[in-house]
Amino acid sequence: MVVSSLSGDGITTAVVGHNQGTVTQADLSVGAYTTNAATADEVADMVALQTAASDANSVFYSGTSYFPLGLGQVFTIINQTIEHELIVIEAEHRSEVHGNYTCVFKAIPSDAAAPPYTDVSCYAKADSQPAKVIDNNDPEGLGRVKVQFNWAGASAKSDWMRMIQPHSGSGKGFYFIPEIDEEVLVGFEGNNAQNPYVLGSQYNGSESSGYADGENNVKAIFQVYAQK
């Protein structure tokens, strides 16, 4: 469908286009695993946001303007007696030889609840990496630690993060906590940089167990540090 504007407003024509809508099964969408949500409410919000983005992408307007239009700019075109309030999501400015200017644009209805390029599964990713413990006195008694990463001049400090234990539960399990300045390996759930956890502690060139002998006889020793 071609929408013609009133004369004098600088818009010649705008073509209405349609993209195939996304057909989803709500229960499957809500139940899908994601590392971007910690609660069921957050998952529901993500589903609603992604659905709104799909709806925004289902109808669009493209056309040519002789007046400049910028990204995010709201404008109105008129089809006979019906007004369409739109917001620009793409704009290409063209200046030709004799100073003739045109702006080729793509727009969507201004009341769209989310931008069409919204991707709720997009997040900052991180790989496992070593770090140094800077605090192990968890105020909630959950055995968590704070660490300092080696990048950014060793100034990047974490919030409290959980330790992986061989066994844990209410009133039971292992409770192994590394000491301050010891090296640990930090992993990230689903490679999401916002969901770190400590995989365990590890020896390094300056901190060794001291148990190894020249004949490789020692295979297992369990020793804890007792503080008086």
Side-chain angles (χ1 to χ4, degrees):
M1 179 177 65
V2 177
V3 178
S4 301
S5 66
L6 292 177
S7 59
D9 65 357
I11 306 295
T12 55
T13 58
V15 179
V16 184
H18 300 271
N19 289 324
Q20 177 63 43
T22 302
V23 180
T24 62
Q25 299 182 43
D27 292 340
L28 294 179
S29 298
V30 173
Y33 173 78
T34 176
T35 59
N36 260 5
T39 66
D41 289 340
E42 290 182 3
V43 173
D45 290 342
M46 290 175 64
V47 171
L49 185 62
Q50 193 66 66
T51 301
S54 298
D55 291 342
N57 195 43
S58 61
V59 177
F60 63 88
Y61 296 73
S62 59
T64 302
S65 168
Y66 293 102
F67 290 156
L69 291 172
L71 294 178
Q73 182 175 342
V74 176
F75 66 100
T76 301
I77 63 175
I78 301 175
N79 177 23
Q80 296 179 355
T81 59
I82 301 176
E83 293 187 356
H84 302 271
E85 188 175 79
L86 309 175
I87 184 169
V88 180
I89 60 172
E90 294 180 14
E92 180 182 332
H93 304 280
R94 300 176 180 176
S95 180
E96 300 179 357
V97 177
H98 300 293
N100 295 325
Y101 170 84
T102 57
C103 175
V104 179
F105 67 89
K106 182 177 180 180
I108 60 175
S110 62
D111 60 355
Y117 48 78
T118 298
D119 184 1
V120 297
S121 62
C122 182
Y123 55 86
K125 296 183 179 181
D127 294 323
S128 58
Q129 54 194 277
K132 182 175 67 175
V133 177
I134 58 173
D135 195 349
N136 59 7
N137 188 17
D138 185 353
E140 296 184 17
L142 299 176
R144 299 175 299 176
V145 298
K146 288 185 177 182
V147 305
Q148 177 177 288
F149 293 102
N150 295 328
W151 43 270
S155 62
K157 300 177 181 179
S158 76
D159 201 347
W160 292 106
M161 61 178 64
R162 293 186 295 173
M163 287 278 306
I164 297 298
Q165 304 287 357
H167 177 57
S168 62
S170 179
K172 63 180 180 179
F174 290 81
Y175 192 76
F176 294 153
I177 308 300
E179 292 291 342
I180 293 176
D181 290 334
E182 290 185 343
E183 181 181 335
V184 294
L185 183 64
V186 178
F188 300 87
E189 183 181 349
N191 294 119
N192 190 332
Q194 296 183 344
N195 298 328
Y197 58 92
V198 176
L199 289 161
S201 56
Q202 52 192 7
Y203 298 116
N204 55 42
S206 61
E207 295 179 344
S208 62
S209 67
Y211 301 133
D213 61 10
E215 298 180 358
N216 195 29
N217 291 321
V218 180
K219 297 297 188 292
I221 287 182
F222 174 74
Q223 180 173 328
V224 296
Y225 174 72
Q227 194 172 32
K228 296 182 180 179

